[in-house]
Amino acid sequence: MSVRTHLEHADSFTQGLLAAAARLQANLIVVGAATHGLLGRFAIGSVAGGLLHSSHVPVALAPEGTRVMGTDEPIRRVTCAVGTKAGADGLLTAGILLARTVDAPLRLVSLVAIDRPGADEQTIVLAADHAQAVLDYATDYLMDGLEVTASVASGSSIEHAVRGLPWDPTEVCLVGSSRLAQPHRLFLGSIAAKMLRELPVPLIVVPRDFTVTVEE
């Protein structure tokens, strides 16, 4: 693995990172936890907060204590939180690309919080149907035999649903931006923010309308 350093002058850390990402045509910005974060959890600092509401490229958030890069441990699973509604094409594209790049299975998850307004057993059924539809779509694009599964995780809250899922220390989780996001920009939604409180693995937030060609 080659490493290069760059010096960027900017009025703020966030502006400098975004300018460097654009100039270097970066595929991803990786941010660590704030210094007050709990071990194994992510705390959003000012730089991460700025990126999560303006970045044009995916942002990876590494929880406190995440293993250092360069170890022999590969990514063993990629999880996509596909939600319960349509409109996750960009997120799914990113998940497929990552799974194929690291040669890891892809897990599609719909999170359902029972305490949310209007959430009931029918909501869980609809979430399962959506997860299956996304699974069928993903399978069509995974022509090289990669494993892909879909499931629904429900709980009294989003945090509870996340805690109820099994997490491999070597996996990463992807989530899409809020529908409030500007086209091709990040905007951390409420569900993703709640996931951050409980996720013990790195989270990658994907911009709205994220587009990359998936080669078959």
Side-chain angles (χ1 to χ4, degrees):
M1 179 179 66
S2 62
V3 177
R4 290 183 296 167
T5 59
H6 300 270
L7 180 63
E8 191 78 29
H9 295 279
D11 293 333
S12 71
F13 290 117
T14 299
Q15 290 179 0
L17 285 170
L18 292 176
R23 179 169 56 84
L24 300 172
Q25 298 182 322
N27 295 318
L28 182 71
I29 297 176
V30 181
V31 185
T35 54
H36 60 278
L38 297 175
L39 183 64
R41 295 296 183 268
F42 192 89
I44 298 177
S46 59
V47 176
L51 292 173
L52 290 172
H53 292 88
S54 59
S55 179
H56 58 281
V57 298
V59 172
L61 309 168
E64 182 68 20
T66 300
R67 71 190 191 284
V68 296
M69 296 299 292
T71 65
D72 294 332
E73 290 285 350
I75 295 176
R76 299 191 183 280
R77 183 169 62 188
V78 176
T79 290
C80 271
V82 295
T84 59
K85 299 179 181 179
D89 292 353
L91 171 64
L92 184 57
T93 296
I96 291 173
L97 284 172
L98 180 56
R100 292 177 64 174
T101 299
V102 301
D103 192 22
L106 176 65
R107 178 174 66 161
L108 309 173
V109 175
S110 285
L111 298 173
V112 179
I114 304 302
D115 66 347
R116 299 187 73 190
D120 52 20
E121 292 299 322
Q122 182 62 25
T123 302
I124 296 178
V125 172
L126 293 175
D129 290 342
H130 174 62
Q132 182 61 47
V134 176
L135 172 63
D136 294 340
Y137 177 86
T139 302
D140 289 340
Y141 284 93
L142 292 173
M143 305 299 291
D144 46 9
L146 290 179
E147 176 187 351
V148 56
T149 59
S151 61
V152 175
S154 61
S156 58
S157 63
I158 290 296
E159 293 91 337
H160 185 259
V162 171
R163 288 197 300 270
L165 285 169
W167 296 100
D168 188 310
T170 61
E171 81 176 289
V172 295
C173 180
L174 278 74
V175 67
S177 291
S178 166
R179 289 176 174 80
L180 297 176
Q182 296 294 319
H184 310 294
R185 287 291 185 274
L186 279 183
F187 190 93
L188 186 70
S190 60
I191 292 180
K194 292 176 180 178
M195 290 179 64
L196 274 175
R197 301 172 188 169
E198 297 296 333
L199 272 178
V201 300
L203 177 70
I204 301 176
V205 187
V206 179
R208 179 183 171 187
D209 303 325
F210 181 75
T211 55
V212 174
T213 301
V214 178
E215 297 180 0
E216 300 186 13

